């Protein structure tokens, strides 16, 4: 396992991190299975575990808490808040009112007195940066969080938040958690240059592109991934953007074969090769998934393989741009781009 410094914090984290979104109802994972995954991940050298309050309505945090009990100090524990937790309109977002409550709820579910990294799950356009950063700074000073970060923020919001912290003498975001894979490279054009400029740690999610890069999605083969059952349009290869992804996957499979790598090793080795990336979040549901992903822990792709990937999917390109999660609201809501 490789280890890198998380931004400018001085904290050393593994280049592969365990994402716990599949713990509980989302991945149909029991507590025993979740604990076994944590055991195997930690034994393999993973020391960063990432979850969120909204994963299974808190179920993932509860499972993570039980799985790390007795070894809390050996793990860099990260969670997130900001996404809706129920129908109450104020049980979401980045307001002080909600974040104070949300963190206490997360600490209770995790069974700990602090988390190492507390992340704002999505940018909240209804709340000022000063409001959110002020609340997070106070929670940090209270000892309930060690550091805080953002998740899936547009590049301009990352910059604005850094300036707001400086302007109001508040602590700043020290990490960003964006979506990044061979098939979705848009952040190379805007987010990653910004994180490098400000010295942020970067924890990338969906490095296997929701299963497209796992080796399970191939030409002429029925798609049977768990996500295809509840996201059928995401894998419908009659749609042009999915056809483009499948064509790329077929070409990438040849590159992997010639290099003596699995598709998973190629995909994870690609994202961890970028100098701006600290860790890639893996989200296994089963021990077999975890073993296949851990096989990429020490994968270092040579320049010719990286060049071959660039020739298939150009740097800074998203093959499915409609699936981006940091799109400016005005691109989605016509009323916001018309006077």
């Amino acid at each position: 396992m490789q280890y890198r410094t998380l931004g400018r914090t001085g904290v050393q984290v593994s280049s592969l991190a365990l994402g716990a979104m599949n713990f509980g109802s989302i991945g149909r994972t029991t507590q025993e299975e979740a604990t076994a995954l944590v055991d195997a991940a930690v034994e393999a050298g993973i020391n960063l575990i990432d979850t969120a309050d909204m994963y299974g309505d808190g179920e993932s945090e509860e499972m993570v808490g039980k799985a790390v009990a007795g070894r809390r100090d050996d793990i860099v524990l990260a969670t997130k808040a900001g996404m809706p937790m129920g129908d109450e309109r104020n049980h979401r977002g980045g307001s002080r009112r909600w974040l104070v409550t949300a963190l206490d709820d997360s600490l209770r579910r995790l069974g700990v007195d602090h988390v190492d990294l507390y992340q704002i799950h999505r940018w909240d356009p209804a709340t000022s940066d000063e409001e959110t950063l002020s609340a997070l700074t106070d929670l940090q000073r209270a000892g309930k969080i060690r550091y805080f970060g953002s998740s899936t923020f547009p590049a301009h919001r990352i910059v604005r938040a850094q300036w707001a912290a400086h302007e109001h003498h508040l602590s700043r975001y020290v990490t960003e958690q964006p979506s990044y894979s061979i098939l979705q490279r848009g952040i190379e054009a805007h987010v990653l240059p910004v994180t490098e400029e400000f010295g942020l740690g970067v924890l990338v999610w969906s490095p296997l592109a929701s299963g497209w890069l796992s080796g399970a999605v191939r030409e002429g083969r029925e798609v049977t991934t768990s996500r295809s059952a509840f996201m059928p349009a995401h894998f419908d290869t009659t749609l042009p953007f999915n056809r483009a992804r499948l064509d790329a996957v077929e070409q990438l499979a040849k590159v992997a074969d010639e290099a003596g790598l699995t598709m998973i090793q190629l995909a994870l080795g690609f994202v961890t090769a970028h100098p701006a990336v600290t860790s890639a979040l893996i989200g296994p549901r089963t021990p077999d998934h975890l073993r296949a992903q851990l096989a990429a822990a020490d994968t270092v792709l040579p320049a010719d393989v990286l060049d071959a990937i660039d020739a298939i999917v150009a740097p800074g390109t998203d093959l499915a741009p409609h699936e981006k999660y940091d799109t400016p609201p005005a691109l989605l809501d016509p009323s916001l781009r018309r006077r």
Side-chain angles (χ1 to χ4, degrees):
M1 184 67 65
Q2 304 170 48
Y3 295 89
R4 287 121 180 233
T5 304
L6 186 63
R8 294 173 179 167
T9 67
V11 177
Q12 298 294 299
V13 295
S14 48
S15 59
L16 296 183
L18 182 63
M21 187 177 74
N22 281 319
F23 287 12
S25 58
I26 295 177
R28 303 184 301 282
T29 311
T30 67
Q31 179 64 61
E32 182 179 1
E33 291 167 334
T35 299
L37 288 171
V38 170
D39 289 345
V42 171
E43 184 177 353
I46 287 178
N47 72 341
L48 171 61
I49 299 178
D50 178 82
T51 183
D53 58 0
M54 59 87 66
Y55 295 163
D57 291 327
E59 189 178 16
S60 173
E61 286 185 326
E62 291 176 356
M63 286 187 167
V64 168
K66 292 175 182 176
V68 304
R71 50 186 168 188
R72 167 68 184 88
D73 292 341
D74 298 329
I75 291 169
V76 179
L77 186 59
T79 192
K80 299 182 283 293
M83 299 290 271
M85 290 292 286
D87 296 329
E88 165 56 44
R89 67 184 63 211
N90 286 313
H91 288 186
R92 66 192 70 189
S95 71
R96 173 182 291 273
R97 182 181 189 274
W98 175 237
L99 290 178
V100 170
T101 298
L103 178 59
D104 283 343
D105 289 344
S106 288
L107 294 177
R108 173 180 49 79
R109 287 189 290 262
L110 289 163
V112 298
D113 62 3
H114 74 280
V115 292
D116 297 298
L117 180 63
Y118 197 49
Q119 301 154 103
I120 301 301
H121 212 149
R122 294 290 188 273
W123 169 53
D124 176 13
T127 307
S128 70
D129 291 309
E130 181 186 2
E131 166 82 2
T132 300
L133 292 169
S134 175
L136 292 171
T137 299
D138 286 347
L139 292 170
Q140 184 183 51
R141 289 170 178 166
K144 293 184 176 183
I145 58 180
R146 296 296 185 255
Y147 308 99
F148 51 84
S150 57
S151 176
T152 323
F153 274 32
H156 72 283
R157 296 312 315 177
I158 297 173
V159 174
R160 181 68 190 90
Q162 294 291 315
W163 276 101
H166 177 77
E167 181 180 6
H168 299 286
H169 306 288
L170 300 168
S171 295
R172 67 185 188 99
Y173 294 126
V174 298
T175 60
E176 162 61 15
Q177 187 178 133
S179 174
Y180 183 44
S181 72
I182 294 175
L183 304 182
Q184 294 287 93
R185 301 183 60 173
I187 66 167
E188 294 173 346
H190 44 86
V191 169
L192 294 184
V194 167
T195 61
E196 286 188 290
E197 176 71 20
F198 288 100
L200 274 63
V202 175
L203 313 173
V204 301
W205 58 273
S206 200
L208 299 182
S210 299
W212 277 94
L213 296 171
S214 68
V217 182
R218 296 294 302 274
E219 183 73 71
R221 184 184 302 173
E222 182 182 1
V223 181
T224 59
T225 64
S226 62
R227 295 200 177 192
S228 65
F230 62 90
M231 300 170 62
H234 191 79
F235 297 92
D236 182 353
T237 55
T238 65
L239 300 174
F241 50 85
N242 286 336
R243 186 70 242 173
R245 283 196 278 207
L246 186 58
D247 290 344
V249 166
E250 289 301 308
Q251 295 178 67
L252 291 166
K254 294 178 182 178
V255 172
D257 287 342
E258 291 173 359
L261 301 168
T262 65
M263 283 290 285
I264 290 175
Q265 288 176 313
L266 186 77
L268 294 178
F270 167 80
V271 296
T272 56
H274 198 293
V277 172
T278 310
S279 300
L281 290 164
I282 58 175
R285 290 190 306 108
T286 69
D288 286 343
H289 290 167
L290 178 60
R291 281 190 288 272
Q293 293 164 20
L294 286 174
D298 294 316
T299 298
V300 178
L301 301 184
D304 63 324
V305 172
L306 293 169
D307 289 343
I309 292 172
D310 287 348
I312 296 168
V313 182
T317 300
D318 290 314
L319 293 190
H322 66 290
E323 291 180 2
K324 291 185 64 61
Y325 296 88
D326 62 352
T327 302
L331 296 185
L332 303 175
D333 183 351
S335 69
L336 297 178
R337 57 178 186 264
R338 297 172 184 168
R339 292 188 183 278

